[in-house]
Amino acid sequence: MFDKATLAWTLPWQEDWVTAVTFIGGGRKLAAGNRRGHILIWDLPETPGGELPAPVRRLEGHTNEVTRLLATPDGKTLISASYDHTIRYWDLDAPAAGSTEIIVDARNRAEAARKQGKKEPEPAGGVKVETQQAQKVLEAHKEWILGLSMSKDGAILLSGDDAGDVIVWDRPAATELRRWKVKGWVFGMALSPDAKLAVVAERFPLVFTPNDHHSAVKIWDVATGQIKHDLSAQYKMYISGAAFSPDGQLVALAQGNETERGKLFLLESDTGKKIREFPGHAPGGAHDVRFSADGKCLLSCGRDTTIRVWNVADGKQLAEVGKPRGGQFKDIWHAVSVSDDQQWLAAADMAGQVVVYKA
């Protein structure tokens, strides 16, 4: 399915690191967020090639890094989480509030000017985009929000933050249903498709005794807020991402680390039992993990600037999309998204771009 994926476009957005990305609905609409809190929307052509697609809209309001982006199943609402402690809803059918001009290739322009012996690039027009404000802003969190996940029908939203607060939301009503507290920072998080289970991976940045662990992984009963399986003893490592399979029977965990090989782990969601390990990424670890829509493939991205595609049935690698670009501290692909029809892949790149592939 993805073994013949080819580069469609490298969309420049050199303002800062691109930290989140998602396809929206069944079409070619793509959203990405960056470290400054900005979100851009692209309407991609049906086929690769031709003129480089330009962003069409900027969503304004976040004041710090966008950490997660989700689209509702009907493609009408985008949901974002941020280090600014807020979750925002964006009505994608809403008219624009205004327009502005943005420069997406500032670094390229500066480099071209340098080669020509100029101190500053030539003043030139940027890209004109529509602007939009959030439809709703949820402010229940008091710390950085890193975890965000949604049920298959879009009815339930789950979020988690650096204070250890995990909140269950009625997504359409944007109201809090319940919450529970964990000890560490919430990093990897996923909600099962039926919203009955949640996997929450925590990090403990300050370890004071030899018996303390740097991490914890637990599967929770969402209705009661009680722990169903504590897997912390098995996963004494930084788990950076988590995902449920479309049928809810499997859970994938991604190992994130600056130096170790970033393995992936496949578990039974009902028992927490490990089924298999995947070799993962090297060097440096994985940053995001997703199942394909049919549940047959697991996709991951990480510090090696590749998307790895794995066969869920036997753990074999089916494809390596992209190329390593020089080491774990040079570039990172923070997030990966796959379109609903499984024909397109996108990665959020630390280098200040969104990389899009056609399967």
Side-chain angles (χ1 to χ4, degrees), residues 60-74:
E60 300 180 335
H62 281 303
T63 57
N64 207 334
E65 180 175 323
V66 177
T67 55
R68 295 288 187 273
L69 289 172
L70 300 175
T72 54
D74 60 10

Side-chain angles (χ1 to χ4, degrees), residues 16-84:
D16 212 317
W17 297 1
V18 183
T19 51
V21 66
T22 190
F23 285 97
I24 299 168
R28 298 290 160 261
K29 192 177 290 291
L30 183 69
N34 74 3
R35 199 164 59 159
R36 298 194 182 190
H38 299 158
I39 300 171
L40 292 184
I41 304 289
W42 287 262
D43 286 325
L44 302 178
E46 288 295 324
T47 57
E51 187 175 349
L52 191 68
V56 296
R57 185 168 288 204
R58 185 169 78 180
L59 310 184
E60 300 180 335
H62 281 303
T63 57
N64 207 334
E65 180 175 323
V66 177
T67 55
R68 295 288 187 273
L69 289 172
L70 300 175
T72 54
D74 60 10
K76 294 183 177 181
T77 304
L78 183 70
I79 304 172
S80 56
S82 171
Y83 281 173
D84 68 6

Side-chain angles (χ1 to χ4, degrees), residues 285-297:
H287 271 245
D288 197 14
V289 62
R290 294 283 182 269
F291 282 89
S292 59
D294 61 11
K296 294 180 179 180
C297 296

Side-chain angles (χ1 to χ4, degrees), residues 86-104:
T86 70
I87 297 168
R88 295 176 188 250
Y89 287 24
W90 310 88
D91 180 356
L92 298 177
D93 292 331
S99 64
T100 191
E101 190 174 274
I102 62 173
I103 304 295
V104 295

Side-chain angles (χ1 to χ4, degrees), residues 208-223:
F208 298 105
T209 69
N211 294 325
D212 281 344
H213 297 159
H214 288 272
S215 62
V217 179
K218 298 167 186 174
I219 297 177
W220 297 77
D221 184 311
V222 174

Side-chain angles (χ1 to χ4, degrees), residues 222-280:
V222 174
T224 64
Q226 299 298 311
I227 299 169
K228 187 173 182 180
H229 301 291
D230 188 343
L231 310 177
S232 304
Q234 296 96 300
Y235 301 99
K236 299 177 182 179
M237 63 190 73
Y238 167 24
I239 297 297
S240 57
F244 278 87
S245 61
D247 62 9
Q249 295 181 14
L250 303 173
V251 173
L253 303 176
Q255 179 187 9
N257 194 286
E258 294 181 350
T259 56
E260 296 180 22
R261 189 174 184 87
K263 292 182 179 180
L264 307 175
F265 305 92
L266 192 66
L267 319 177
E268 292 180 350
S269 60
D270 189 52
T271 65
K273 178 183 177 182
K274 184 173 72 175
I275 299 173
R276 66 179 54 90
E277 294 182 8
F278 301 79

